[in-house]
Every structure is written in structure tokens, then in C-alpha cells.
Amino acid sequence: MSNNQMLDRINNNTCKVTEAICLPNSRLPRVVIVGGGFAGLALVEGLKNKDIQVVLIDRNNFHQFQPLFYQVATSGLEPDSIVFPFRKQIKGYKNVSFRLAEVKEIQASTNTVITDKGKLTYDYLVLATGTKTNFFGMEEVEINSLGMKDIRDSLNIRHMMLQNLEQAAITCDDEERDALTNFVIVGGGPAGVEMAGALAEFCKYILPKDYPEYPSSIMNIYLVEAMDEVLSAMSDKASSKTLTYLENLNVKVLLKESVSNYDGRIVQTKSGKTILAKNLIWTAGVKGDFPKGIDERHVVKGNRLKTDAYLKVDGQENIYAIGDIAALISEETPKGHPQVAQAAIQQGKYLACTLMGIINDKPIGLFSYKDKGSLATVGKRKAVADLGKLKFAGYFAWLLWSVVHLLSISGFRNKLLVGFNWAVSYFSYEKSNRVIIRNFKLNNTAKTQTKDNSENHLEKDVNTKKSSIDV
């Protein structure tokens, strides 16, 4: 450790320097982990109570269970049932500290991380920052639509949907009513398929009870997919079965079609089709999200960080990347590993062993990903599963999907809340309380202001109402 690093660490420990983040006094090697998603938490779990100082940094103070965002968006679950505080997660981990901050820049030359709350040094840095929605440069689409990469996005979708349905009951303009009750989901991957299925069931079972003034047929759901099949990453059987399930739920699936523009009212496709809709949910792509300081030469397609077989970022000596942000390019994985939870968790566990091996001067092996299979659900009691050579669909696949998700959620209380909600929904098709806590309005002139507004109200949303992962 350099003299500057030692001085900075002393300053951190005594908190005499206002721009330094205060940390517990320790002479152990320090690992700074940026991001508390599946990968980051798996790494923390692997390093807990070891002879190493671990610092977890995240812009939120909670872990988000992303595979169930769509259920929050469609009022199936309350937001606090799929988020879990980091400090509760690391309770009892004597060598782990959490700091609420957003990393702005990495200064690799001095082993320093710059955040919006101050700076700190590291001996090893791990980037597990995940991804954000990729609108592929279509600014007007980005301004007028909503992604689904954050719990706040899910709440925004919920409020947008409920507000538009209420407005549709008020207006006497037939065209305006159609626009308010039409939903377009862009992207036929797991997130898009599961969102479409949940919306279709909302339309079939909830709409007639809550809005008897107009028929459920007034709510049209479109799923737009650029490929010639949905769930293209899964087997042909899973894809065809999913398409059948969606069509049986009256979802209008548009294959080999892509959105070219959206002004907040009219969706335009590249083939020339137009769809009247004031609800557009974008699940068509993601891109890596990481702070400044990494040379662009080490960034590959999808804005991911290229790593070697030890998950070390190319061109760096002590910076690693795991989870969706990492791209281990090889002959076996020319596009990197899939951006799914099981890959992130495996990378986090592997890197924990690797870092301890490096520190203790023990031999380390190369990362090897084991695909345990994939699951996706299409509404209640219908799902598809690819488990190696075993491929099946229907009720048993849905039951397996439910069990896997329930066991993967952090916290006993959250498992209990989700399980109870699912049990009630199983017998009654009843959703969670469909309340509009705040007035959400998409800011068409400054999307960032809308995002900031949603962040300011998240705590109110969660506290006011208490209540597709891979195998």
C-alpha cells in the first residue's frame, strides 16, 4: 500500500477530512464492491467474516428483486415485498460495511473511488453495477415511454396505468379512451412476456370488477418483438408454447416488428404500422451502466466491460467486473455470458474464492459458468421451462417457477408477504390494493426531472402501504 493510500485510509478512519468517506479502522486488504444486485450480494456473502475488509456501495440502501418488477407494476405485489435493506442483509457480517453513495468516477492510478458523498481508496475494486434500459438512441421513445429496470420504474408504470384507466372512465372521447386503455410492450424477452401476461390477466379478471362502465375488450395489449419468435434465448418449444399462451390471453403479438418512434400517443413501427396508445413499456434491451474512469478500449458491445477468465477487467491490475456489466469473451462465449441472475450469482461466488486465493497466495482456477436452465411465466398457472435436455410447459413449469422465485427472495418476511399474495391470487385472481398514492406524470421535456420526482416519492410509496429468474 502506498503512503498516499495509507494517509487516505487514516483520514477515512478519523473522519477529519470532509471529502473522505469514513470507514472502520482496519489494516486488512480492502475490497470495494460497487452495486448490490445479485452479483454484488453473492460476493459479499462469499467474503463475510473473512480476513478482508469489505465495503459495499450502492445508490440505494436496498437490494431489488428484479424478476418480480412486473408484478409490482401490475399491482400484484407491494414494492416493500421485493426490496430488502442492505444493512439488514449484512447484519452480523463483522468485516462488511455499507455506504449509501453513487460512484461517479474511478481513478485507477491512485486506487480511488469518487462518489457523490466523498472518496475512498481500495486494494481491490469490483464493479457490479448492472445495466440500464437501452433505447438505442431513440430519444423521443425514451422521453415518452417507461422502462422497467428499477423499483421506481415499476411504481411509475403502476400509477400511469391506474391513472389512465381512471381517465378513460371520465372521457367521452372514444379515440382518447382507446389511447388511454391500449398498452404496448416492446421486447419479447422474459420481462416483456411476463409483463404482457400479467396485464392480460389484469384485463380479464380485474378490469370488469373495477371498471364496470366499460367492457374489458376495450383494453388492448400489444407485444412488439423484432425477432421472429418470443423468448428467442429459450428453446423453440418454450417459444411456441409462450406464443400460444399469449394469444389465448388475447395479447396481440407482433413478430418481426420494431418500434421506430413514439410521441406519447402514436406508436410507429418500421413497417409503417401505427398503434394508438398512451402506455408504452420498453423491455427491448439493456446496456451496461458503470462510472467514468474505464478506458473505452475495454468496453465491448452492449456497453459491457471486457474481462479475462478471472473476471478481471482488461487493462487493469486490481479491478474486476461481475454480473450483467461483465463480458467474458471467449470461443465458447463470443458474446459473453447471458445477463441473467444465475450467471451473476455464480460470478459473485467465484470471485469471492478468487480474491481470497490471491490474498492468501493460493492457486486460483478460471471461471466456468454452469447453465442450470431457464424459466418464464405467462400469467397464472402457465409457464415454460428449459432444464438442460428437459423442456416442458404448463402448470408444473409454473409451480417450479413459483418455488424458485419464492426461495430466491431475500428475507423471511418478504418470502411470507409474496407467498401470501400469491396464495390469495391463486384462488381469487385478486390483486394487491390498486391505489394511486401520488399523481404521476411523464415529463416530456425533461425525463431526468421525472426520474428525480419518482425517487423523492419512493419512500412515501413504500411506507404508505405495508403489506423471470433463472433456476
Side-chain angles (χ1 to χ4, degrees):
M1 185 183 302
S2 67
N3 292 334
N4 289 336
Q5 284 180 265
M6 180 62 74
L7 179 60
D8 190 22
R9 184 159 298 185
I10 292 172
N11 287 334
N12 280 337
N13 296 331
T14 59
C15 298
K16 291 181 179 178
V17 179
T18 55
E19 65 176 6
I21 292 178
C22 189
L23 292 169
N25 184 28
S26 176
R27 293 186 177 275
L28 296 173
R30 180 185 292 170
V31 176
V32 174
I33 304 169
V34 184
F38 290 110
L41 282 189
L43 177 56
V44 169
E45 186 72 20
L47 295 176
K48 68 177 181 181
N49 299 328
K50 299 289 179 64
D51 291 332
I52 189 171
Q53 185 184 33
V54 180
V55 182
L56 174 63
I57 301 177
D58 199 288
R59 61 173 68 118
N60 301 307
N61 74 332
F62 53 83
H63 169 72
Q64 310 177 78
F65 192 73
Q66 295 188 26
L68 294 182
F69 279 171
Y70 78 96
Q71 292 203 12
V72 173
T74 55
S75 300
L77 293 172
E78 289 304 321
D80 63 323
S81 62
I82 65 166
V83 297
F84 197 75
F86 288 127
R87 292 192 176 278
K88 192 171 182 179
Q89 184 88 29
I90 65 175
K91 184 179 180 181
Y93 297 5
K94 297 179 181 179
N95 64 325
V96 180
S97 301
F98 169 72
R99 295 296 180 265
L100 178 65
E102 182 173 0
V103 175
K104 297 296 186 180
E105 184 179 354
I106 300 164
Q107 295 180 351
S109 60
T110 58
N111 287 351
T112 303
V113 172
I114 308 297
T115 79
D116 60 345
K117 303 292 178 61
K119 66 180 181 179
L120 72 163
T121 58
Y122 60 84
D123 295 300
Y124 302 94
L125 175 66
V126 181
L127 298 176
T129 47
T131 57
K132 59 184 177 181
T133 304
N134 187 1
F135 291 93
F136 303 100
M138 293 185 287
E139 294 182 4
E140 194 167 13
V141 175
E142 181 176 0
I143 289 171
N144 293 294
S145 64
L146 289 173
M148 198 165 57
K149 287 295 295 178
D150 187 278
I151 190 68
R152 300 170 182 85
D153 295 332
S154 298
L155 290 169
N156 287 340
I157 292 171
R158 177 195 289 199
H159 287 97
M160 175 186 70
M161 175 180 72
L162 295 176
Q163 287 173 190
N164 284 350
L165 290 177
E166 292 294 344
Q167 184 61 33
I170 293 172
T171 183
C172 294
D173 187 323
D174 291 340
E175 185 176 286
E176 178 68 6
R177 186 184 295 115
D178 288 342
L180 290 165
T181 56
N182 287 344
F183 290 77
V184 177
I185 303 162
V186 184
V193 163
E194 291 174 348
M195 185 69 191
L199 275 176
E201 290 198 332
F202 184 99
C203 172
K204 185 175 181 180
Y205 299 106
I206 303 300
L207 203 67
K209 294 187 296 184
D210 281 14
Y211 302 91
E213 51 266 60
Y214 47 77
S216 59
S217 59
I218 198 173
M219 183 174 169
N220 294 306
I221 301 164
Y222 299 85
L223 180 63
V224 182
E225 168 55 42
M227 305 286 286
D228 59 358
E229 60 180 0
V230 294
L231 297 181
S232 58
M234 295 183 69
S235 65
D236 291 339
K237 180 178 180 179
S239 177
S240 61
K241 274 289 187 181
T242 299
L243 183 60
T244 300
Y245 292 150
L246 289 171
E247 290 175 342
N248 289 341
L249 287 169
N250 295 321
V251 176
K252 298 172 175 60
V253 183
L254 306 180
L255 299 176
K256 295 183 180 179
E257 193 67 89
S258 56
V259 171
S260 60
N261 197 32
Y262 177 56
D263 62 2
R265 183 179 176 86
I266 297 177
V267 181
Q268 298 178 349
T269 70
K270 287 187 177 180
S271 69
K273 293 180 181 179
T274 59
I275 303 172
L276 186 66
K278 284 197 169 183
N279 309 278
L280 190 143
I281 302 166
W282 188 274
T283 67
V286 295
K287 59 182 178 180
D289 185 19
F290 55 89
K292 296 188 299 182
I294 301 295
D295 195 313
E296 292 185 0
R297 293 176 299 173
H298 309 306
V299 179
V300 297
K301 186 177 180 180
N303 207 43
R304 300 170 75 182
L305 298 176
K306 185 179 179 182
T307 72
D308 61 17
Y310 302 98
L311 301 181
K312 185 188 297 182
V313 176
D314 272 10
Q316 304 295 331
E317 290 298 322
N318 56 349
I319 300 179
Y320 297 81
I322 55 176
D324 292 353
I325 194 67
L328 200 172
I329 308 296
S330 66
E331 292 184 3
E332 294 77 17
T333 57
K335 297 181 180 179
H337 292 107
Q339 293 169 295
V340 295
Q342 59 170 299
I345 293 170
Q346 289 180 34
Q347 289 177 354
K349 291 180 177 179
Y350 162 83
L351 188 56
C353 296
T354 296
L355 290 176
M356 293 310 301
I358 293 172
I359 291 170
N360 296 320
D361 198 23
K362 293 183 178 180
I364 56 176
L366 306 179
F367 174 72
S368 178
Y369 171 58
K370 296 179 181 178
D371 188 351
K372 297 180 180 180
S374 300
L375 297 167
T377 183
V378 191
K380 190 171 71 174
R381 304 179 190 175
K382 295 181 180 67
V384 292
D386 287 351
L387 306 179
K389 295 182 179 180
L390 184 62
K391 307 180 191 308
F392 54 97
Y395 179 80
F396 181 72
W398 173 81
L399 191 62
L400 180 61
W401 176 93
S402 301
V403 171
V404 168
H405 279 69
L406 198 59
L407 293 177
S408 301
I409 295 172
S410 296
F412 175 77
R413 174 185 172 276
N414 287 11
K415 287 181 171 66
L416 194 63
L417 285 173
V418 173
F420 176 77
N421 274 277
W422 284 355
V424 171
S425 177
Y426 182 86
F427 293 105
S428 67
Y429 282 95
E430 181 59 39
K431 295 283 188 181
S432 181
N433 289 336
R434 298 170 292 281
V435 294
I436 302 172
I437 298 173
R438 59 180 171 81
N439 183 35
F440 171 75
K441 184 177 181 181
L442 198 64
N443 191 331
N444 293 337
T445 58
K447 188 71 174 282
T448 55
Q449 293 179 15
T450 301
K451 183 177 179 181
D452 291 341
N453 181 62
S454 69
E455 291 176 354
N456 292 336
H457 288 280
L458 176 63
E459 184 177 355
K460 180 180 178 182
D461 288 338
V462 174
N463 293 332
T464 302
K465 179 63 184 176
K466 289 296 182 184
S467 46
S468 77
I469 191 174
D470 292 76
V471 180

